[in-house]
Amino acid sequence: MEQGLGGRAPAYVHRGDCHMAGQQSRGAGRDRARHALAEGVDACPHCWPDTELGVLE
């Protein structure tokens, strides 16, 4: 997951192999990523982790 400015709330959920994940990204398990998506954290529009995790709106 990519942290927002200052390391605060997550800004995006990425797949582990996403080329757009920046230096502010930290690893997270599948359950944590699903939870973050359910809480409204945006999925990266390049790697589509929500599709990979089966979390679709």
Side-chain angles (χ1 to χ4, degrees):
M1 280 195 280
E2 183 175 343
Q3 299 299 308
L5 295 176
R8 298 189 186 251
Y12 285 104
V13 176
H14 295 276
R15 286 181 19 178
D17 60 351
C18 181
H19 68 281
M20 294 300 292
Q23 291 182 345
Q24 298 297 323
S25 296
R26 302 289 181 262
R30 294 174 70 85
D31 289 338
R32 177 63 188 120
R34 281 189 192 104
H35 190 261
L37 290 167
E39 288 180 337
V41 177
D42 290 331
C44 172
H46 297 273
C47 66
W48 300 29
D50 48 347
T51 302
E52 180 76 19
L53 294 168
V55 179
L56 302 173
E57 293 182 22

